[in-house]
C-alpha cells in the first residue's frame, strides 16, 4: 500500500541551530501534505497544510518564520525548525493526501533540542 | 472549536479480554469520525471510520459506532491480542474536504499474554 516516509526519525540539535525534517510519499503523488506536532500526553496538533507549488497555510498560533514548510514537489515536503530552542523539542508527524483523498501518515520524527 | 477527548491510558489488558476505549467529541456540523492506530516504530494507520450518525465502522475485529446523541465514538474489541498493543487515536474531520483532522491525545493499549 501507499507509504509515507519521514526522515530523520530522531534528531538532536543544539539550541540556536536549524533542523530539517523530510516527508516523502513513496508511491503516490501528494498534492497536499499536513504537518502535526504532538506534545507529551497531548493531542496531535495541526501546524500547517502544505500544498505543492504554493505557500503553506499555517494554523493560528504557529510561527511561519520559525517553522518553514516547503512543498517543492508532489512527493516531498520539508519542515525546517529555525533557530531551535528546547521548547521546540517534540514529536513531529506528517501526512499526505493522495488523489483519492485518502490520507497516509509518516512514522514521525522526534526532535530534541539541547 | 472542534475537539476530541479520549480516555487516558495506559490501558493494560490480558489477552482475550474485552476492550473499550472511550472517545467523545465536540463539533459543529456533521464531522466524520476516525480511529487511527500507531504500532511501535510505525506511522499512524487508519483503523476504521464512520461518516454519519449511527454508522458503525469495523476492521480487524474492532468496532465503533457514531453516536450523535451522546457525541461519542467508543472503540471496542471483543477479544484483544498481544499484537493489538499500540497507541489508538480518535479523530474527527474538520474543514473542507474532511481531511483536516482533529485528534484526541491518544490511548496506549498494552496487552499481556
Amino acid at each position: 500500500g501507499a507509504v509515507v516516509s519521514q526522515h530523520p526519525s530522531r534528531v538532536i540539535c543544539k539550541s540556536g541551530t536549524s533542523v530539517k525534517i523530510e516527508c516523502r510519499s513513496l508511491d503516490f503523488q501528494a498534492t497536499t501534505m499536513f504537518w502535526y506536532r504532538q506534545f507529551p500526553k497531548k493531542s496531535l496538533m495541526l501546524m500547517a497544510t502544505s500544498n505543492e507549488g504554493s505557500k503553506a497555510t499555517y494554523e493560528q498560533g504557529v510561527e511561519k518564520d520559525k517553522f518553514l514548510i516547503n512543498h517543492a514537489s508532489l512527493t516531498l515536503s520539508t519542515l525546517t525548525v529555525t533557530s531551535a530552542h528546547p521548547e521546540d523539542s517534540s514529536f513531529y508527524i506528517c501526512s499526505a493526501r493522495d488523489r483519492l483523498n485518502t490520507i497516509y501518515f509518516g512514522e514521525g520524527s522526534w526532535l530534541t533540542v539541547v | 472549536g472542534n475537539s476530541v477527548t479520549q480516555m487516558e491510558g495506559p490501558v493494560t489488558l490480558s489477552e482475550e479480554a474485552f476492550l473499550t476505549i472511550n472517545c467523545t467529541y465536540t463539533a459543529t456540523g456533521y464531522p466524520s469520525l476516525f480511529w487511527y492506530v500507531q504500532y511501535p516504530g510505525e506511522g499512524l494507520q487508519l483503523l476504521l471510520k464512520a461518516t454519519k450518525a449511527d454508522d458503525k465502522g469495523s476492521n480487524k475485529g474492532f468496532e465503533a459506532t457514531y453516536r450523535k446523541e451522546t457525541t461519542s465514538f467508543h472503540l471496542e474489541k471483543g477479544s484483544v491480542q498481544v499484537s493489538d498493543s499500540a497507541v489508538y487515536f480518535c479523530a474527527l474531520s474538520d474543514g473542507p474536504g474532511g481531511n483536516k483532522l482533529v485528534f484526541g491525545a491518544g490511548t496506549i493499549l498494552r496487552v499481556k499474554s
Side-chain angles (χ1 to χ4, degrees):
Chain A
V3 176
V4 172
S5 177
Q6 272 184 251
H7 177 81
S9 57
R10 289 183 181 274
V11 58
I12 300 172
C13 71
K14 291 185 177 180
S15 188
T17 63
S18 296
V19 60
K20 181 185 289 186
I21 300 171
E22 294 185 347
C23 178
R24 292 182 184 273
S25 56
L26 297 185
D27 58 1
F28 67 96
Q29 293 183 330
T31 54
T32 304
M33 290 185 172
F34 304 88
W35 285 97
Y36 292 84
R37 178 178 179 177
Q38 185 178 30
F39 295 94
K41 298 185 180 181
K42 298 289 186 183
S43 304
L44 286 162
M45 303 297 295
L46 179 65
M47 299 175 65
T49 302
S50 169
N51 294 299
E52 188 266 337
S54 64
K55 291 183 178 180
T57 303
Y58 289 81
E59 295 300 301
Q60 192 173 6
V62 178
E63 298 176 62
K64 302 178 184 181
D65 295 332
K66 181 164 190 63
F67 298 100
L68 300 179
I69 291 172
N70 183 284
H71 194 160
S73 77
L74 286 171
T75 59
L76 174 64
S77 177
T78 60
L79 167 68
T80 302
V81 182
T82 62
S83 187
H85 289 97
E87 57 265 30
D88 298 325
S89 299
S90 194
F91 182 67
Y92 295 87
I93 193 166
C94 72
S95 66
R97 182 171 68 193
D98 69 9
R99 295 187 186 280
L100 298 178
N101 268 349
T102 301
I103 291 181
Y104 301 92
F105 281 84
E107 311 95 325
S109 300
W110 286 100
L111 169 63
T112 302
V113 184
V114 297
Chain B
N2 295 352
S3 65
V4 175
T5 303
Q6 58 182 105
M7 61 189 291
E8 285 193 30
V11 174
T12 303
L13 296 173
S14 297
E15 211 165 17
E16 298 184 4
F18 185 86
L19 167 72
T20 300
I21 300 178
N22 290 338
C23 171
T24 57
Y25 67 91
T26 302
T28 54
Y30 302 95
S32 294
L33 302 174
F34 307 83
W35 276 101
Y36 281 84
V37 58
Q38 185 175 29
Y39 298 103
E42 300 183 16
L44 273 70
Q45 302 172 24
L46 179 63
L47 180 60
L48 54 84
K49 69 177 182 181
T51 57
K52 61 183 187 297
D54 299 326
D55 265 4
K56 177 186 283 188
S58 61
N59 186 25
K60 300 181 181 180
F62 291 88
E63 293 182 341
T65 301
Y66 191 144
R67 300 286 189 200
K68 193 170 186 303
E69 63 277 11
T70 54
T71 61
S72 64
F73 193 55
H74 304 321
L75 182 68
E76 297 182 335
K77 186 175 186 182
S79 176
V80 293
Q81 305 300 312
V82 172
S83 56
D84 293 325
S85 298
V87 183
Y88 292 82
F89 293 90
C90 184
L92 62 79
S93 63
D94 184 5
N99 291 137
K100 187 174 171 180
L101 295 169
V102 176
F103 285 89
T107 302
I108 297 172
L109 171 65
R110 297 182 181 136
V111 181
K112 304 180 299 183
S113 59

